[in-house]
């Protein structure tokens, strides 16, 4: 099965990982943070702002791979502060209002100043 690396302009990237990898009918999106591609800064100081931007970034990556949020089967949310769980859910449900994908939520182990959330997704075409 061929492996296709997906990296897109406009979403902050790292030399240590690809935005996503498509293998067969599966798309694996890396943990993506809520950086605003226009400013290259975190999208805001609230969990809602960063969650919104993280999902927007993931959506852009999925679209480059030929998928949409409707194709997402699994999401892993990594929170810096578990106390932000309710606020993250407040924004998350706006993007997955019906029949949401399977999801897990864990504590983010990396301490990056101001970073509140990282979201990774798996989609199936």
């Amino acid at each position: 099965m061929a492996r296709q690396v997906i990296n897109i302009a406009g979403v902050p990237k790292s030399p240590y990982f690809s935005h996503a990898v498509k293998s067969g009918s599966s798309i694996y999106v890396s943990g993506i943070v809520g950086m605003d591609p226009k400013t290259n800064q975190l999208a805001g100081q609230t969990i809602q702002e960063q969650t919104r931007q993280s999902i927007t970034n993931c959506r852009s990556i999925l679209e480059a791979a030929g998928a949409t949020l409707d194709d997402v089967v699994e999401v892993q949310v990594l929170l810096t502060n578990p106390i932000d769980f309710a606020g993250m859910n407040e924004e998350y449900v706006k993007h997955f209002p019906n029949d949401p994908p399977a999801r897990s939520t864990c504590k983010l182990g990396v301490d990056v100043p101001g970073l509140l959330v990282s979201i990774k997704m798996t989609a199936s075409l």
Side-chain angles (χ1 to χ4, degrees):
M1 201 174 314
R3 176 180 172 267
Q4 178 186 359
V5 172
I6 309 291
N7 283 310
I8 66 169
V11 173
K13 65 180 186 176
S14 167
Y16 304 111
F17 61 87
S18 299
H19 285 144
V21 173
K22 184 176 182 180
S23 179
S25 63
S26 297
I27 302 163
Y28 304 92
V29 179
S30 293
I32 303 297
V33 299
M35 297 275 281
D36 183 335
K38 294 175 187 153
T39 65
N40 216 24
Q41 300 293 318
L42 290 170
Q45 296 178 353
T46 70
I47 188 64
Q48 291 88 347
E49 292 168 312
Q50 289 190 29
T51 298
R52 181 180 315 113
Q53 188 64 55
S54 178
I55 293 172
T56 297
N57 292 346
C58 287
R59 179 186 295 121
S60 296
I61 294 164
L62 287 167
E63 287 172 355
T68 69
L69 288 179
D70 290 336
D71 298 310
V72 174
V73 295
E74 186 267 339
V75 175
Q76 183 177 32
V77 178
L78 301 168
L79 294 173
T80 299
N81 302 311
I83 196 165
D84 286 332
F85 185 76
M88 178 275 298
N89 273 334
E90 179 184 314
E91 184 61 33
Y92 181 90
V93 73
K94 295 175 185 176
H95 303 274
F96 296 104
N98 301 308
D99 301 322
R103 186 183 86 185
S104 60
T105 305
C106 304
K107 183 167 176 22
L108 183 64
V110 183
D111 187 20
V112 177
L115 180 67
L116 302 177
V117 65
S118 176
I119 298 176
K120 70 182 288 288
M121 298 181 178
T122 303
S124 180
L125 299 173

